[in-house]
Amino acid sequence: HPPPVATDKEEQKRLLENRPDQPQNPKVLRIAIIGAPNAGKSTLSNQLLGRKVFPVSKKVHTTRCKAWGVITHEDTQLIILDTPGLTNPLKAKRHNLDEAMLTDPWDSMKHADLVLVLVDVSDHWTRNSLSKEVLKCLSQFPHIPSVLVLNKVDILKKKFLLLEIVTDLTEGIVNGKKLEVKSALKQDSGSSAKSPLHITQASLPESKVPGSPFGQEKNQTQEGSGLDKSSDVGGAGTGEAQGPNHHGPEVLKDTKGWPHFQDIFMLAALHGEEVDTLKRYLLMQAKPGPWEFHSDVLTNQSPQEICDNIIREKVLEYLPLEVPYGVTQVTEAWEEGECGELLIMQSLLVPRESHKRMLIGRGGKVISRIAREAGQDLMNAFLCDVCLKLKVEVK
């Protein structure tokens, strides 16, 4: 079971400053998760961690800052760098975003050993090409191994579209081998394979991870499984791709995909489907090296930051459009109650009287729902009873 986050700021600080309890042969892997806003990066991070410490909402730019999550499993430590969605200066200005949201994702890449590129396949406007920001990010750091993760596959009714999406996003090349979509696809538009994970390639190295979609044994695959990894690209008959070159902005202009992914995963992060498969794969990618955190650490965020983010998530969820982006949070009280419960009181300051009415809701329904749901999430993060009180004021 993942450890809870300490409720006391000083205790959490001590934990973060503690020397890591190194096992005999420690292994470590730093993972940057990048993608367009709202692709599901924080949801995936929470599922991998096994406890909710990152805010999640359907609104874009819920994640405002760079935060790290820590998974410690036996002798291996995975450090997840949860990053804001890659955006551009124009959109940043529209959503009142600070400078850090433009630089943090790039910053995370500098620390990463592996990058997961998350794509929301339920969004038919964006699913067939990687955003310019993501491509720019990958081309700036071509030496970092990258893995394509297709998220929300449960929402996609026509599973055969996954073949087309994979081909577009990889430019038909994965791990240095060319993908060929077999023409003998017997699926009609209404068919939906139970698990879209069993997409295979023909010439596979034996040592692939069993859970990786391209590591399935041939006899496990479904009929007409779609992708055939036939001809080698780059390596002289070895199946090894030559290292990706640094692509300039001119080259990126006409590019839709990235031909240097080493693997592909398909999952539904919200329901935890196939997240364990990805987690096993990540644990196996870890390299020998000292742990960075004590095994009792789950995140580098302070308890107050987690609290602010989770309350903000609910405010974003239940208020229309731009209103939540103008809310300021002030923590008035943070103390232990008589029965050991955590008492938190927070003021939400809004710029207009109309916003105050919206946030309180008829008969106080909206604000009490926010307090109730945020309180539940905080109990999950801190593993203790939480009594959360919220009040709304015009600033």
Side-chain angles (χ1 to χ4, degrees):
H1 290 288
V5 179
T7 56
D8 179 63
K9 194 177 183 176
E10 291 309 310
E11 193 185 331
Q12 173 72 343
K13 200 173 160 197
R14 258 196 318 276
L15 267 177
L16 289 168
E17 287 167 359
N18 259 0
R19 286 185 63 175
D21 43 343
Q22 304 288 355
Q24 209 155 14
N25 300 302
K27 287 186 286 194
V28 71
L29 185 75
R30 291 178 207 82
I31 305 144
I33 303 181
I34 65 167
N38 223 5
K41 296 178 294 298
S42 297
T43 302
L44 178 59
S45 299
N46 287 333
Q47 289 282 10
L48 288 166
L49 286 167
R51 207 175 285 296
K52 183 173 177 177
V53 294
F54 298 121
V56 176
S57 153
K58 292 186 191 77
K59 296 256 173 57
V60 295
H61 305 308
T62 309
T63 302
R64 291 268 170 151
C65 61
K66 180 178 66 204
W68 292 12
V70 183
I71 298 165
T72 305
H73 180 78
E74 293 170 0
D75 60 357
T76 305
Q77 195 163 76
L78 303 178
I79 298 162
I80 296 173
L81 316 169
D82 186 47
T83 56
L86 287 165
T87 189
N88 59 42
L90 192 72
K91 289 178 188 161
K93 198 171 176 198
R94 190 188 313 156
H95 285 102
N96 243 341
L97 308 180
D98 55 27
E99 190 66 26
M101 288 201 59
L102 291 170
T103 57
D104 272 356
W106 302 88
D107 211 39
S108 290
M109 288 290 284
K110 288 176 200 158
H111 301 284
D113 305 312
L114 181 78
V115 59
L116 298 183
V117 177
L118 205 59
V119 174
D120 172 2
V121 295
S122 71
D123 186 340
H124 68 277
W125 297 106
T126 60
R127 67 188 174 206
N128 285 84
S129 61
L130 295 172
S131 75
K132 288 287 168 274
E133 283 83 21
V134 167
L135 281 167
K136 195 170 153 196
C137 206
L138 288 169
S139 66
Q140 292 273 100
F141 303 92
H143 56 285
I144 301 173
S146 55
V147 170
L148 177 64
V149 180
L150 303 184
N151 190 22
K152 309 185 191 179
V153 292
D154 55 322
I155 301 173
L156 196 66
K157 296 277 185 284
K158 299 173 179 176
K159 297 291 188 254
F160 68 88
L161 287 173
L162 286 167
L163 303 177
E164 186 189 303
I165 294 167
V166 165
T167 308
D168 286 345
L169 297 181
T170 61
E171 299 206 329
I173 298 165
V174 176
N175 203 14
K177 300 270 180 87
K178 193 166 183 182
L179 301 174
E180 285 188 1
V181 179
K182 291 176 183 170
S183 54
L185 272 175
K186 295 175 186 166
Q187 294 163 320
D188 56 59
S189 61
S191 82
S192 102
K194 178 98 174 76
S195 163
L197 252 172
H198 292 151
I199 288 180
T200 60
Q201 297 163 297
S203 48
L204 275 169
E206 297 281 309
S207 62
K208 276 288 183 191
V209 182
S212 159
F214 291 118
Q216 308 288 346
E217 291 297 320
K218 285 192 194 106
N219 60 4
Q220 279 183 299
T221 61
Q222 295 168 329
E223 190 180 11
S225 62
L227 295 185
D228 177 12
K229 187 158 124 175
S230 56
S231 52
D232 293 344
V233 176
T238 61
E240 300 271 322
Q242 291 167 338
N245 299 320
H246 186 97
H247 296 290
E250 278 310 302
V251 181
L252 289 178
K253 207 162 59 178
D254 309 312
T255 310
K256 280 192 356 180
W258 180 248
H260 307 294
F261 288 118
Q262 67 176 26
D263 261 303
I264 301 171
F265 285 84
M266 304 186 186
L267 46 81
L270 186 62
H271 308 297
E273 282 174 32
E274 297 298 340
V275 172
D276 272 348
T277 305
L278 177 61
K279 191 171 176 175
R280 283 197 300 275
Y281 173 84
L282 295 172
L283 288 164
M284 289 181 76
Q285 299 301 306
K287 302 280 184 287
W291 285 2
E292 288 187 36
F293 296 96
H294 192 278
S295 57
D296 285 339
V297 171
L298 188 69
T299 178
N300 68 338
Q301 302 170 89
S302 74
Q304 278 85 351
E305 281 173 325
I306 291 174
C307 176
D308 284 356
N309 284 334
I310 282 176
I311 292 169
R312 202 176 151 276
E313 166 203 308
K314 307 298 174 194
V315 172
L316 278 167
E317 202 60 39
Y318 297 125
L319 287 189
L321 293 170
E322 302 296 310
V323 176
Y325 298 100
V327 175
T328 307
Q329 294 163 259
V330 180
T331 302
E332 311 280 1
W334 185 288
E335 58 203 35
E336 194 178 314
E338 287 172 20
C339 306
E341 76 277 27
L342 178 61
L343 300 172
I344 304 169
M345 185 187 277
Q346 194 169 92
S347 292
L348 304 176
L349 310 178
V350 292
R352 297 192 186 93
E353 194 64 45
S354 59
H355 291 185
K356 180 181 172 179
R357 283 197 298 273
M358 268 187 243
L359 188 45
I360 292 171
R362 189 172 292 173
K365 270 191 180 152
V366 176
I367 196 68
S368 55
R369 184 176 183 181
I370 289 170
R372 186 175 66 252
E373 290 184 11
Q376 286 290 338
D377 283 351
L378 293 171
M379 280 188 212
N380 174 274
F382 300 136
L383 269 195
C384 72
D385 287 334
V386 174
C387 175
L388 174 64
K389 294 199 166 109
L390 299 175
K391 55 180 186 174
V392 187
E393 294 171 359
V394 178
K395 60 184 171 192

